[in-house]
């Protein structure tokens, strides 16, 4: 049972490290100058404004046009949320990794005492 618990904790630690690495990659990406220019400013800001203005354009009032505009707006929101979730998941994984390391240390100490 000790070996199974230790293996589970080590697997959880490995998975946590992967989530942390992914979250860190997103943070590096978001701080990249080109990403800021193309995605943050170009897509999240300028394209969002363009879509909001397009929504009230008299030539874009057909149901198909309105649906397409809303879909494009949703896409912006979904990408923002995806990036935020990746960072937040990485932060939570860092906390989980700390907990796992403490648990693993405790298990190893208790295992050594029982030998």
């Amino acid at each position: 049972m000790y070996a199974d618990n230790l293996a589970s904790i080590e697997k959880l630690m490995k998975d946590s490290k992967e989530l942390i690495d992914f979250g860190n990659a997103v943070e590096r990406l978001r701080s990249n100058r080109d990403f800021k220019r193309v995605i943050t400013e170009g897509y999240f800001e300028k394209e969002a404004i363009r879509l909001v203005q397009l929504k009230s354009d008299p030539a874009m009032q057909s149901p198909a046009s309105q649906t397409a505009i809303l879909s494009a707006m949703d896409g912006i929101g979904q990408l923002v949320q995806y990036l935020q979730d990746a960072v937040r998941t990485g932060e939570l994984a860092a906390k989980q990794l700390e907990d796992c390391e403490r648990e693993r240390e405790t298990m190893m100490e208790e295992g050594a005492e029982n030998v």
Side-chain angles (χ1 to χ4, degrees), residues 9-115:
I9 287 175
E10 288 176 349
K11 166 98 172 71
L12 191 54
M13 289 173 67
K14 180 181 180 267
D15 294 345
S16 295
K17 288 176 184 177
E18 289 175 9
L19 292 171
I20 293 166
D21 288 344
F22 190 80
N24 290 338
V26 171
E27 285 291 359
R28 287 190 306 274
L29 181 64
R30 291 195 322 188
S31 66
N32 177 283
R33 180 180 49 163
D34 291 332
F35 182 89
K36 285 180 181 179
R37 181 176 177 209
V38 173
I39 302 299
T40 303
E41 295 168 13
Y43 187 56
F44 294 160
E45 295 172 12
K46 291 177 183 172
E47 180 64 2
I49 291 168
R50 186 188 77 80
L51 289 168
V52 168
Q53 292 172 343
L54 192 60
K55 184 139 177 43
S56 64
D57 184 323
M60 300 299 291
Q61 294 306 305
S62 73
S65 294
Q66 289 292 304
T67 299
I69 294 167
L70 289 174
S71 179
M73 293 167 84
D74 288 343
I76 293 170
Q78 289 172 344
L79 181 56
V80 168
Q81 191 63 49
Y82 175 77
L83 296 173
Q84 289 173 344
D85 288 350
V87 171
R88 181 69 181 134
T89 299
E91 292 168 351
L92 293 173
K95 172 69 174 113
Q96 182 172 318
L97 180 61
E98 291 175 12
D99 294 345
C100 286
E101 287 170 343
R102 277 194 296 277
E103 180 67 23
R104 183 173 155 242
E105 186 176 308
T106 301
M107 288 179 67
M108 292 181 91
E109 288 172 0
E110 291 174 355
E113 292 173 1
N114 294 330
V115 174

